Amino acid sequence: MSREVQDFQDGWVGRIVLNRPRALNSLTHDMITAVREAVDAWIADGTVRTIVLTGAGERGLCAGADIRAMHDDAKAGGAGARAFFRDEYRLNALIARCPKPYVAVMDGITMGGGVGLSAHGSVRIVTERSVIAMPETRIGLVPDVGGSGLLAHAPGELGTHLGLTSASMGPGDALLCGFADHFVPSAKIPDLLFALAAAPDVEAVTAAVAAEAEPAPPSALAAQREWIDACYAADTVEEIVERLLDCGVREAKEAAELVLANSPTAVKTTLAALRRARSLPSLEAVLDQEYRISCAALDSHDLVEGIRAQVIDKDRNPRWSPATLAEVTEADVARHFTPREGDELGLA
């Protein structure tokens, strides 16, 4: 069986290929370790000037973490998942501080952990096939891998909308929301990779990308900013839902239904996390906060139940506990932000 992460040098480029296409390149702990080792090696190698991340197969870069494995581990106490989060978030921080150009090709589905490996890079490419999302509230989790920071700093309240609904972004949306930098049609990606391999410095990398980039398709979210900004500016999830239902826009009503279908605890914690992330000083501080939140979620009912409903049994009928927004207390939310004695990420 082929390795689940391939790394090789191509001219001036150190290539990293996520190679689990039948599972949409979803991330195992071993894959996180392998990517970390490859990034460290390419940073230290003077013959490598650029690092390029791609995914094997035609369907996407990476659909996120292997949540089947997370489900099983959470049921057994969550020690493995906590170790996974710790190493994953440290890798996200390394990518963001990479001293060499780090080019991520976000072709196709790029969600959750896939966003963590790509959207903190210095050159982030989307194609017409890109579908980008932080869909954690759908499974009882909160946007992580630094995604809460990206969402918090999206224009207006677009990030709040995406975080609470778990909605997806197309390529134009990803550019608008700060998850991507350039649009390159998928048919031109091979030419881009060829040009990057021949690029000996940052200026040549910039020129290679510019030569293949084109104007992105329009952003669907841009046309909806008025009701999104007005509704999601509310202080509580209950008031946000009320505004969405009352504003008279069909898409707003659909957004309210998405919020109400997701884990009430995760939705309320997500709103708190995004508002806090706006004032945090660095990605490292965001990741420290996300580690506390994710570890707290491992101890909850909703994460195991959400993965069961979406992936294990696929009945799409999660039985959340608490079951409604009104039943989620301030203490339920606050426990996700409590420092973990002897178990902090400690990046900031």
Side-chain angles (χ1 to χ4, degrees):
M1 188 179 75
S2 62
R3 291 168 55 200
E4 292 181 340
V5 174
Q6 296 179 337
D7 61 290
F8 56 93
Q9 188 165 348
D10 180 18
W12 293 107
V13 164
R15 290 284 306 277
I16 300 173
V17 182
L18 304 179
N19 188 38
R20 206 180 169 212
R22 292 183 64 182
L24 262 171
N25 301 318
S26 59
L27 298 169
T28 65
H29 200 160
D30 285 347
M31 290 173 71
I32 291 293
T33 301
V35 173
R36 173 68 192 239
E37 290 173 351
V39 173
D40 283 336
W42 296 139
I43 289 173
D45 189 336
T47 68
V48 167
R49 304 298 168 82
T50 301
I51 299 170
V52 175
L53 175 75
T54 58
E58 298 295 317
R59 297 167 62 202
L61 173 64
C62 174
D66 184 337
I67 59 174
R68 281 181 175 268
M70 188 178 296
H71 170 274
D72 295 344
D73 185 77
K75 289 180 70 174
R82 285 191 293 274
F84 174 87
F85 289 140
R86 178 177 287 272
D87 288 345
E88 182 182 30
Y89 300 172
R90 289 185 179 279
L91 175 58
N92 302 148
L94 174 67
I95 289 168
R97 305 293 176 238
C98 183
K100 298 179 178 181
Y102 180 100
V103 181
V105 181
M106 305 163 77
D107 185 27
I109 292 172
T110 305
M111 296 183 178
V115 171
L117 294 186
S118 55
H120 303 303
S122 52
V123 183
R124 305 164 301 172
I125 308 292
V126 286
T127 75
E128 77 283 356
R129 303 190 296 200
S130 294
V131 179
I132 299 173
M134 298 301 300
E136 286 76 11
T137 51
R138 199 176 296 158
I139 60 165
L141 197 57
V142 170
D144 65 338
V145 298
S148 68
L150 292 166
L151 292 171
H153 293 100
E157 296 292 341
L158 292 178
T160 313
H161 167 67
L162 292 166
L164 299 193
T165 61
S166 286
S168 300
M169 293 175 271
D173 300 324
L175 289 159
L176 173 65
C177 292
F179 282 69
D181 305 301
H182 306 280
F183 175 80
V184 176
S186 58
K188 298 176 75 173
I189 295 299
D191 291 340
L192 173 62
L193 296 177
F194 182 80
L196 289 172
D201 51 38
V202 173
E203 290 74 18
V205 169
T206 301
V209 174
E212 305 298 344
E214 296 183 4
S219 163
L221 288 174
Q224 302 175 56
R225 278 288 303 277
E226 184 175 357
W227 66 262
I228 287 175
D229 287 353
C231 294
Y232 287 95
D235 292 331
T236 67
V237 177
E238 289 91 337
E239 187 180 351
I240 288 170
V241 169
E242 186 177 338
R243 291 186 185 186
L244 289 170
L245 292 172
D246 288 347
C247 79
V249 177
R250 176 178 58 82
E251 291 88 350
K253 181 177 183 295
E254 292 170 351
E257 292 168 353
L258 290 174
V259 174
L260 291 171
N262 293 336
S263 161
T265 301
V267 165
K268 282 197 168 184
T269 304
T270 295
L271 181 62
L274 297 185
R275 298 285 161 85
R276 290 180 182 222
R278 286 177 179 172
S279 61
L280 291 175
S282 65
L283 172 63
E284 287 80 1
V286 169
L287 290 164
D288 283 349
Q289 172 174 278
E290 290 176 348
Y291 182 72
R292 294 181 192 130
I293 294 170
S294 295
C295 289
L298 285 170
D299 298 331
S300 74
H301 163 276
D302 279 7
L303 178 59
V304 169
E305 172 62 13
I307 298 174
R308 179 207 66 75
Q310 295 293 339
V311 177
I312 308 297
D313 297 337
K314 298 183 179 179
D315 59 23
R316 307 292 192 268
N317 185 33
R319 294 178 287 275
W320 306 121
S321 179
T324 66
L325 292 170
E327 294 173 85
V328 179
T329 67
E330 291 184 9
D332 291 332
V333 173
R335 75 175 183 85
H336 292 79
F337 299 91
T338 302
R340 299 177 58 82
E341 187 174 348
D343 187 25
E344 287 284 275
L345 189 60
L347 283 175

